[in-house]
Amino acid sequence: MQKNTPPRSTIRLTRRGRIALVVTAAVVVGTAVAVPLLILGREKGDGRPATLVIPEGRRASQVYAAVDKALALPAGSTKKSLAKAALKLPGDAKGNPEGYLFPATYPIPEKTTPEKLLALMVDTATEKFNGAPVAAGAQRNAMNVYQAVTIASIVQAEAATRADMGKVARVVFNRLERGMPLQMDSTVNYALGRSTRRTTESDTRIDSPYNTYQRMGLPPTPIANPGEEAVRAAINPPPGDWLYFVTVRPGDTRFTADQAEHQRNVAEFNALRKKAGAAT
């Protein structure tokens, strides 16, 4: 980074998908990095951000809202622009860019339109995903690139840490190979349009192609826009027999192939959550 570079405002999605304004001097298309949050809303002056930061794991709906905010457009404008964006998506996507709005920092020059921003995101994803490593890795695991991106989106949503990503991917493969439903809360949350750790039994009975408790195989599309690490985990997971996992407490995600052991882990998680609720 060049010294004495004046800071410029940047629209950035926060961890929970809310939109915030931060200040940064970097204007690059690359993997998004953590940027310190300075203020909410827009800066005074012309109010125009210089870049848009899309972190890993954000859903298309969150990206659309961020683009609307960055370009000072009425809510819903970016989503409506999809029809004329002419995005170069894989055939399996059927026009849905979920999974292909690549997490990165994007410049916002004058006269930027939603169509141009979305196209840049998709083109960046295509360049990343269609390279030899991802394509070869997908083929090695008997799947196509779109399926690999779908698995990566689940990994991104489910893994509590980067270190857990490979193990989560292995659980997905192991369940698919055994003809087991994936039973991933993240896919149910996607169907319900929310993010929560509390998935109820009634939630798992919803009628949706994204309900991996009720439907076999992968969901029909990615459930978020994964970063490169999640994609690498999806095409090259470590060996292991794990079929279950639960994050009992922060930094303590337990993987196992034994259902009884998993049930004990879940019981411990529920007990800790109940205790925490009683203390608040």
Side-chain angles (χ1 to χ4, degrees), residues 249-267:
R249 56 174 62 82
D252 182 13
T253 300
R254 301 177 191 177
F255 294 81
T256 181
D258 183 81
Q259 187 177 23
E261 181 183 355
H262 177 64
Q263 289 174 339
R264 290 192 295 271
N265 292 336
V266 170

Side-chain angles (χ1 to χ4, degrees), residues 16-241:
R16 296 181 182 274
R18 292 175 295 197
I19 301 165
L21 184 74
V22 298
V23 172
T24 179
V27 186
V28 296
V29 174
T31 302
V33 296
V35 182
L37 178 64
L38 297 184
I39 57 174
L40 297 173
R42 289 182 176 277
E43 286 185 334
K44 294 181 178 180
D46 64 10
R48 186 178 181 84
T51 58
L52 173 63
V53 180
I54 306 297
E56 294 89 345
R58 301 310 181 266
R59 296 172 183 168
S61 59
Q62 295 170 323
V63 176
Y64 302 152
V67 173
D68 286 342
K69 186 75 172 180
L71 301 183
L73 298 172
S77 297
T78 299
K79 185 175 182 179
K80 291 177 182 177
S81 75
L82 286 173
K84 55 183 179 179
L87 303 177
K88 298 177 182 177
L89 294 163
D92 288 347
K94 298 179 181 179
N96 182 352
E98 190 74 85
Y100 279 73
L101 302 175
F102 192 76
T105 301
Y106 295 95
I108 307 178
E110 292 293 327
K111 299 182 180 179
T112 295
T113 64
E115 295 88 344
K116 288 180 181 178
L117 263 179
L118 294 176
L120 180 56
M121 293 177 193
V122 171
D123 289 348
T124 303
T126 299
E127 181 181 351
K128 299 284 187 182
F129 297 157
N130 287 359
V134 177
Q139 186 176 27
R140 185 171 60 249
N141 288 288
M143 59 184 175
N144 61 31
V145 170
Y146 191 74
Q147 290 169 321
V149 174
T150 300
I151 291 174
S153 73
I154 295 173
V155 168
Q156 188 81 65
E158 292 281 350
T161 66
R162 292 181 178 180
D164 288 339
M165 284 183 172
K167 288 184 175 182
V168 172
R170 177 52 65 191
V171 170
V172 171
F173 279 108
N174 287 346
R175 282 181 161 264
L176 291 174
E177 289 169 1
R178 287 162 176 75
M180 299 173 66
L182 294 183
Q183 297 182 321
M184 296 289 176
D185 291 352
S186 58
T187 65
V188 173
N189 286 332
Y190 185 78
L192 293 171
R194 69 181 192 191
S195 296
T196 179
R197 294 180 69 189
R198 300 189 179 186
T199 301
T200 67
E201 186 177 349
S202 62
D203 291 338
T204 65
R205 294 196 296 267
I206 64 168
D207 183 16
S208 169
Y210 292 92
N211 184 355
T212 56
Y213 281 84
Q214 301 288 341
R215 307 291 181 93
M216 298 296 292
L218 294 173
T221 72
I223 60 169
N225 295 283
E228 290 183 271
E229 290 196 40
V231 174
R232 282 196 293 269
I235 62 174
N236 191 32
D241 62 353

